[in-house]
Amino acid sequence: MTRIRITEYIDLAVEDERWRCRVCDTELGSARESYKHFLRLYERDPRDVHRPVLDGEYTFAPDPAWVRIVEFYCPSCSTQVDTEYLPPGHPITHDIELDLDSLRARLASGELTVRDDRVFAS
């Protein structure tokens, strides 16, 4: 099966168009959707990650009324796959969208090849 590394922890299985965890090889879901939909989420209080530097009103610690930290984990091996800093209420970002039809056509025609989980022009 042809696999392409998309991020440090996410691979694309080209033939079946599925996201896969690079660490444990768990199939996460359709690559036609955001891989984040298939991960476990943990919302962190930013003050737990960035402790106050000073005492008083201005501490240099993020204000949870202005920012939230969302961590994404593989549902099988619990590898942390991604982290986002978002305003409260902001939806999870859809940061990777691939043209799978074009990718598959270009691989089939030989215009592109995959070596060591990376795509190269032929």
Side-chain angles (χ1 to χ4, degrees):
M1 177 178 295
T2 304
R3 301 217 3 203
I4 299 171
R5 180 183 291 191
I6 302 299
T7 72
E8 185 176 2
Y9 297 110
I10 299 292
D11 282 352
L12 168 67
V14 176
E15 288 82 5
D16 61 2
E17 298 182 355
R18 310 298 284 178
W19 298 120
R20 299 193 74 86
C21 174
R22 186 161 185 80
V23 174
C24 69
D25 200 39
T26 295
E27 180 183 302
L28 299 172
S30 172
R32 294 195 180 264
E33 298 180 53
S34 173
Y35 66 92
K36 294 176 185 175
H37 292 180
F38 308 109
L39 301 173
R40 290 198 174 133
L41 290 103
Y42 178 62
E43 192 163 328
R44 304 271 310 261
D45 184 324
R47 295 170 297 189
D48 292 342
V49 177
H50 305 285
R51 302 262 183 225
V53 176
L54 305 170
D55 292 327
E57 183 179 358
Y58 302 105
T59 66
F60 292 102
D63 185 340
W66 288 88
V67 67
R68 64 187 176 127
I69 300 172
V70 182
E71 297 173 343
F72 299 86
Y73 295 89
C74 172
S76 181
C77 69
S78 299
T79 295
Q80 187 174 349
V81 173
D82 203 353
T83 304
E84 292 188 346
Y85 283 64
L86 298 168
H90 191 283
I92 301 301
T93 60
H94 183 118
D95 57 349
I96 297 174
E97 186 168 345
L98 304 174
D99 183 348
L100 295 170
D101 299 323
S102 176
L103 175 63
R104 290 177 64 157
R106 293 174 74 186
L107 287 169
S109 74
E111 179 185 350
L112 299 176
T113 58
V114 177
R115 291 188 313 269
D116 300 322
D117 300 331
R118 290 181 167 77
V119 178
F120 296 90
S122 297

